[in-house]
């Protein structure tokens, strides 16, 4: 690994001030950054340790929502009583990801900002527009098992690998950010972006901006939810396709449904227009198939990942049933109900 | 690899298996390399060096982590326990005894990581059933495939309620 300079931030203002200098990068748990630096993919001149900041808490908001500190660990978040009670889909999605050791260290801010697992992004000997702007994309025409089918561009077909963010997408979370130009609140749907012709930008965070917290609105999805993660092995593997569903049910009718896909795009994939199809309807396989078609409309495979289109369709139907019936996917007993 | 100037050294205090070390280290030093190469405490193994196998699992302030992805500079004042420090000298930790009794290893390369991870798992208190133990131990791979016996050994210790 290349040597790098190191400093600790004393408070948020100091972190933002140091982080906005060229070549500087924040570090939280380092579970993504250390890995990328070992592969020489990321080459920060200086790491700013944000661990001394007081962003570790999980607090109830006056609105009845919940604020998840950027430095709260994924484990702390998933096992938090309020998260388990009010937003169990978030606990489920987090616990489906990585391993117990990694979740003990991985922070919410780091999870949000983790980079793609595209093999070519990781191989610094090969062209990659995300790593090296305008160098080309090695994935198109290459091995594409883990790549995207929705919202891709000719410049990049990578996916965002987070499970947590797929749950945040259906919970309508918002990301609180602070920078040299003040504070912003970014709706989760606008946090990550599609690659377009600037795939080196994963999200809309500006250089030097710090995520301080993730806010969850005051809602509860205690029963009608699921996080169904489909992958090459049953644990400790990234999603090929994952499906997050939350529903409000009333007398056997879907009052509201929100569905997001992971593993298929450069950001959690949600189409609020398509969700209208489910509104006011009684759950049925036929309804869910119609909806699945709308959610994956326009999907394009790149060879090895063609299977994801059908896998997503079937997964959506299965996950919608799980949510409607109140039988969420267990993250320890992996038989798919 | 281009190294224009000698890397900056950063002072740090860190306790390993009860012994305090005050020294100056490079920012890029991982906890795994620190243990194995600076302290020659080599019970902790390097498998993948990328967070993908769990061989390097240690307890940091009582919590299990992958030492290969931990920069030492991020953990000033921490207390680290490795396989060498789990039990008093000359004694076996209940998990060590159970692994021995139940044949929970073959080549033994993954074992220090498995046992440290299992200690963390028991401290965390989220696993009761076989399925839960398997899931929450999935961060430790075993190329020899000793999984059934590893799980049994952990379940036995859980049942005995012996872990501290
Ligand atoms: C083997 C392995 C398997 C994994 N499997 C999964 C999986 O199945 N599902 C899944 O979702 N994830 C998985 N992960 C990824 C893991 O969740 C991330 O590595 C972790 O969440 C990153 O958090 P961190 O605190 O360690 O971030 P760091 O590595 O410290 O930082 C990551 C990035 O975020 C930036 N950053 C961190 N905090 C902030 C902040 N507050 N504001 C602005 N920028 C910030 C950093 O500058 C850096 O660019 C896996 C990782 C490994 C190594
Ligand atoms: S898909 Fe994106 S990340 Fe992967 S090689 Fe192409 S440009 Fe790079
Ligand atoms: S050596 Fe750390 S996880 Fe493999
Ligand atoms: S006993 Fe050989 S790797 Fe586990």
């Amino acid at each position: 690994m290349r040597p790098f300079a190191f400093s600790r931030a004393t408070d948020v203002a100091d972190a933002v001030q140091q982080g906005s200098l060229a070549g500087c990068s924040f570090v939280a748990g380092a579970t993504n950054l250390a890995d990328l630096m070992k592969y020489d993919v990321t080459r920060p001149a200086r790491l700013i340790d944000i661990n001394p900041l007081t962003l570790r808490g999980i607090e109830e908001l006056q609105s009845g929502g919940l604020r998840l500190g950027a430095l709260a660990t994924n484990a702390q978040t998933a096992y938090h009583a309020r998260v388990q009670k009010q937003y169990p889909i978030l606990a489920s999605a987090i616990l489906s990801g990585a391993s117990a050791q990694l979740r003990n260290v991985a922070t919410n801010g780091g999870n949000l900002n983790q980079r793609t697992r595209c093999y070519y992004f990781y191989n610094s000997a090969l062209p990659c527009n995300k790593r090296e702007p305008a160098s080309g994309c090695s994935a198109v025409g290459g091995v594409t098992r883990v790549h995207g089918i929705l919202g891709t561009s000719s410049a990049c077909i990578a996916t965002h690998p987070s499970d947590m963010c797929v749950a945040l997408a259906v919970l309508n979370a918002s990301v609180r950010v602070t920078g040299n130009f003040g504070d912003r609140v970014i709706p989760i749907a606008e946090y990550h972006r599609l690659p377009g012709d600037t795939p080196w930008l994963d999200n809309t965070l500006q250089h030097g901006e710090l995520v301080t917290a993730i806010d969850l609105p005051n809602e509860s999805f205690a029963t009608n939810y699921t996080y169904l993660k489909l992958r090459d092995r049953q644990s400790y593997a990234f999603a090929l396709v994952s499906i997050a569903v939350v529903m409000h049910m009333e007398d056997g009718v879907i009052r509201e449904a929100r569905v997001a896909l992971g593993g298929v795009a450069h950001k959690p994939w949600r189409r609020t227009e398509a969700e209208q199809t489910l509104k006011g309807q009684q759950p049925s396989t036929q309804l869910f198939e119609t909806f699945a078609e709308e959610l994956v409309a326009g999907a394009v495979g790149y060879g090895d990942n063609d299977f994801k289109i059908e896998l997503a369709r079937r997964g959506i139907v299965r996950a919608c049933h799980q949510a409607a019936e109140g039988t969420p996917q267990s993250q320890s007993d992996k038989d798919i109900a | 690899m281009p190294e224009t100037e000698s890397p900056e050294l950063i002072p740090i205090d860190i306790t390993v298996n009860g012994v305090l070390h005050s020294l100056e280290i490079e920012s890029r030093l991982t906890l795994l390399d620190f243990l194995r190469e600076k302290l020659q405490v080599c019970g902790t193994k390097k498998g993948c060096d990328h967070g993908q196998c769990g061989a390097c699992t240690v307890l940091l302030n009582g919590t299990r982590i992958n030492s290969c992805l931990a920069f030492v500079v991020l953990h000033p004042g921490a207390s680290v326990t490795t396989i060498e420090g789990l039990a008093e000298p000359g004694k076996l930790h209940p998990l060590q005894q159970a692994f021995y009794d139940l044949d929970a290893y073959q080549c033994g390369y993954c074992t220090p990581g498995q046992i440290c991870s299992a200690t963390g798992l028991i401290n965390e208190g989220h696993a009761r059933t076989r399925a839960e133990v398997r899931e929450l131990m999935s961060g430790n791979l075993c190329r020899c495939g000793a999984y059934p016996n590893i799980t049994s050994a952990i379940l036995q210790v859980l049942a005995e309620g012996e872990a501290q």
Side-chain angles (χ1 to χ4, degrees):
Chain A
M1 190 187 294
R2 289 168 200 252
F4 55 89
F6 176 81
S7 42
R8 295 193 179 97
T10 50
D11 55 31
V12 169
D14 177 46
V16 167
Q17 203 256 323
Q18 293 196 54
S20 48
L21 302 174
C24 290
S25 178
F26 298 128
V27 61
T31 60
N32 191 218
L33 209 47
D35 189 29
L36 290 166
M37 289 167 70
K38 287 182 185 193
Y39 283 114
D40 206 22
V41 173
T42 305
R43 301 167 185 176
R46 174 181 294 272
L47 288 189
I48 318 293
D49 179 7
I50 59 172
N51 287 290
L53 308 183
T54 47
L55 301 173
R56 234 164 258 287
I58 297 182
E59 309 151 21
E60 196 162 331
L61 294 170
Q62 280 195 337
S63 64
L66 203 60
R67 176 161 297 169
L68 312 171
L71 288 172
T73 65
N74 279 179
Q76 188 191 336
T77 306
Y79 292 116
H80 192 273
R82 274 287 300 280
V83 173
Q84 297 218 330
K85 188 162 166 251
Q86 203 170 335
Y87 315 98
I89 190 171
L90 179 61
S92 184
I94 291 174
L95 293 176
S96 79
S99 67
Q101 290 95 313
L102 288 160
R103 295 190 297 263
N104 279 341
V105 177
T107 63
N108 293 333
N111 193 315
L112 209 55
N113 288 293
Q114 65 175 299
R115 317 254 5 229
T116 185
R117 308 304 281 204
C118 168
Y119 327 115
Y120 305 99
F121 173 71
Y122 262 85
N123 187 336
S124 58
L126 293 174
C128 165
N129 286 326
K130 189 181 273 299
R131 180 168 25 78
E132 190 82 52
S135 62
C137 170
S138 300
V140 176
V143 178
T144 58
R145 187 168 176 79
V146 301
H147 291 82
I149 51 170
L150 286 159
T152 54
S153 74
S154 56
C156 180
I157 61 170
T159 58
H160 191 259
S162 168
D163 293 296
M164 180 187 93
C165 294
V166 186
L168 293 179
V170 294
L171 291 174
N172 290 340
S174 47
V175 182
R176 298 180 68 84
V177 163
T178 181
N180 275 336
F181 301 103
D183 299 345
R184 296 198 289 152
V185 179
I186 310 172
I188 187 73
E190 290 160 29
Y191 188 80
H192 298 101
R193 58 186 294 285
L194 293 178
D197 51 12
T198 53
W200 49 93
L201 302 174
D202 292 352
N203 53 49
T204 51
L205 200 67
Q206 304 297 309
H207 181 71
E209 274 188 320
L210 180 79
V211 175
T212 55
I214 300 168
D215 282 359
L216 303 176
N218 180 21
E219 290 180 291
S220 177
F221 295 97
T223 314
N224 296 109
Y225 75 93
T226 196
Y227 188 72
L228 177 59
K229 180 172 176 181
L230 305 167
R231 44 187 152 171
D232 280 326
R233 61 180 182 204
Q234 287 189 322
S235 188
Y236 203 13
F238 287 94
L240 289 167
V241 174
S242 69
I243 307 100
V245 186
V246 292
M247 288 180 181
H248 284 306
M249 301 283 297
E250 225 173 61
D251 303 326
V253 170
I254 302 168
R255 194 154 58 74
E256 188 190 359
R258 305 182 203 149
V259 183
L261 305 179
V264 297
H266 205 252
K267 60 186 289 189
W269 189 258
R270 221 186 126 183
R271 274 191 179 139
T272 44
E273 327 82 74
E275 289 164 9
Q276 301 306 313
T277 301
L278 300 171
K279 215 173 171 160
Q281 305 293 317
Q282 288 191 337
S284 75
T285 299
Q286 204 194 352
L287 174 72
F288 296 150
E289 282 173 353
T290 307
F291 168 71
E293 212 53 62
E294 292 171 16
L295 187 53
V296 303
V300 183
Y302 290 86
D304 299 326
N305 70 350
D306 293 350
F307 73 93
K308 283 191 177 184
I309 303 174
E310 185 57 23
L311 188 65
R313 274 196 200 104
R314 295 187 194 188
I316 293 164
V317 174
R318 185 67 63 94
C320 285
H321 272 298
Q322 289 183 334
E325 285 149 30
T327 52
Q329 178 60 44
S330 161
Q331 298 305 351
S332 52
D333 180 354
K334 297 297 176 66
D335 293 338
I336 293 172
Chain B
M1 200 165 287
E3 288 186 27
T4 41
E5 48 198 281
S6 60
E8 174 191 10
L9 292 178
I10 296 146
I12 192 151
D13 287 346
I14 189 163
T15 302
V16 176
N17 296 330
V19 180
L20 175 67
H21 300 269
S22 298
L23 62 182
E24 297 200 320
I25 53 160
E26 277 189 50
S27 52
R28 61 182 166 177
L29 183 69
T30 64
L31 180 55
L32 178 58
D33 288 344
F34 172 67
L35 292 169
R36 292 182 55 86
E37 283 161 35
K38 298 271 183 236
L39 299 187
Q40 268 86 48
V41 178
C42 294
T44 310
K45 301 296 182 239
K46 183 181 282 194
C48 64
D49 213 19
H50 290 280
Q52 298 179 358
C53 75
C56 66
T57 305
V58 299
L59 298 163
L60 181 92
N61 301 325
T63 302
R64 52 178 166 161
I65 67 154
N66 298 118
S67 60
C68 69
L69 293 182
F71 288 125
V72 181
V73 285
L74 295 181
H75 303 286
S79 174
V80 178
T81 307
T82 68
I83 189 73
E84 290 92 338
L86 271 187
E88 316 238 306
K91 289 198 177 149
L92 292 183
H93 182 277
L95 277 162
Q96 290 172 315
Q97 187 68 50
F99 268 58
Y100 175 79
D101 291 342
L102 295 181
D103 261 338
Y105 49 84
Q106 291 171 46
C107 77
Y109 196 82
C110 71
T111 313
Q114 299 277 4
I115 292 180
C116 286
S117 185
T119 308
L121 168 114
I122 292 171
N123 293 343
E124 288 157 16
H126 302 300
R128 285 162 299 276
T129 65
R130 181 167 279 268
E132 286 166 349
V133 170
R134 279 165 53 85
E135 172 58 26
L136 293 174
M137 285 297 292
S138 73
N140 293 83
L141 304 191
C142 173
R143 286 300 293 269
C144 299
Y147 299 111
N149 295 6
I150 292 170
T151 313
S152 298
I154 297 169
L155 281 166
Q156 179 176 301
V157 176
L158 268 173
E160 290 163 359
E162 271 177 352
Q164 358 75 328

